[in-house]
Amino acid sequence: MARSKARREIGVAEKRYADRAREIFRQEIGATVRSVSPFLIALLASDGLEFDDVIETIEPGYGWPRRPRLSSRCNRSSWGKHILRHIVAGLRPAWPDTQLMHGTSVDLSNYGSAKIRIDAHSIEVRVRLKTVTFDTCFGLLRIELGRPIPETMAIGFIGRLVEEVVDHASVRGSGWRVAAVDQTSGGSVLIVETGSTAYRLPWAR
């Protein structure tokens, strides 16, 4: 009986601890997050999902709260030197392990799994659609085509509406334009300026 009582009391204590830790975590990100990628909102809407509902499932990164602080996985070199003026100064030069970042995964009907993460003060996403990968960071959308395109075609894409180049429900009618095209060893990459949308987490409003 004594062992059974001990198990029950430990179970109650563990639940109280988990509940309090969850409350503290939500307070931390609620005080930090100020924006979201509009592409992420459009992506979820195209699949019939409400952003506020999805964000309720966000979980702490591995090792929280001891490690790390809210940080960014954006790599300056991977986004191209010509758009450095768009990236917030002082970001880390390397992308940390995404397991250490707060986030959640969402299964989408046609696109596999969208990896939603908190980058510093913003909520961002990475999602793969067949051979094309969409990745957002602080007002930019990086579209990795997975194959090279001719240089003349790449030059012609610059300034065009992204929906004229990539047919995807989440970019149709957006008005976003291709700002640059990077030619990498893994294929061509479109850099699209989407801007950021002001956002506060539901429990921080």
Side-chain angles (χ1 to χ4, degrees):
M1 290 199 46
R3 178 59 60 87
S4 177
K5 179 182 179 182
R7 288 194 185 115
R8 288 196 303 272
E9 291 180 352
I10 289 295
V12 170
E14 288 176 342
K15 185 177 185 308
R16 286 176 179 168
Y17 173 82
D19 289 346
R20 180 56 180 154
R22 177 72 174 172
E23 180 182 352
I24 294 170
F25 168 68
R26 286 162 68 95
Q27 288 173 354
E28 176 187 324
I29 61 175
T32 305
V33 170
R34 301 189 301 275
S35 63
V36 60
S37 166
F39 171 79
L40 171 54
I41 295 175
L43 175 71
L44 296 177
S46 70
D47 211 61
L49 299 173
E50 290 289 337
F51 182 65
D52 277 356
D53 294 339
V54 171
I55 213 63
E56 287 283 352
T57 67
I58 206 159
E59 295 291 338
Y62 178 78
W64 179 87
R66 294 174 181 82
R67 51 183 291 201
R69 293 188 307 166
L70 290 173
S71 61
S72 172
R73 69 189 286 271
C74 297
N75 182 318
R76 292 174 173 180
S77 61
S78 72
W79 288 79
K81 294 180 180 178
H82 57 284
I83 48 110
L84 287 182
R85 65 186 184 278
H86 298 287
I87 304 299
V88 175
L91 300 184
R92 296 180 179 180
W95 291 21
D97 187 336
T98 53
Q99 284 188 332
L100 300 179
M101 303 187 72
H102 308 324
T104 188
S105 295
V106 180
D107 292 329
L108 304 176
S109 58
N110 298 320
Y111 318 133
S113 180
K115 307 298 183 183
I116 298 171
R117 67 189 185 275
I118 296 179
D119 276 3
H121 59 78
S122 186
I123 303 176
E124 309 290 349
V125 66
R126 182 177 177 87
V127 62
R128 185 176 177 86
L129 168 60
K130 296 183 180 178
T131 61
V132 179
T133 299
F134 300 81
D135 197 2
T136 67
C137 180
F138 300 151
L140 298 176
L141 168 62
R142 178 181 169 94
I143 304 177
E144 303 168 13
L145 301 179
R147 58 181 176 80
I149 58 176
E151 190 65 31
T152 52
M153 183 180 292
I155 293 173
F157 283 168
I158 298 175
R160 291 181 59 183
L161 291 170
V162 65
E163 63 190 280
E164 297 175 354
V165 180
V166 177
D167 184 22
H168 190 274
S170 57
V171 300
R172 293 183 199 132
S174 65
W176 303 327
R177 294 184 181 274
V178 178
V181 179
D182 283 346
Q183 302 287 25
T184 72
S185 58
S188 300
V189 180
L190 309 180
I191 306 297
V192 180
E193 296 191 33
T194 64
S196 296
T197 299
Y199 179 78
R200 301 295 295 187
L201 294 168
W203 54 88
R205 294 171 189 165

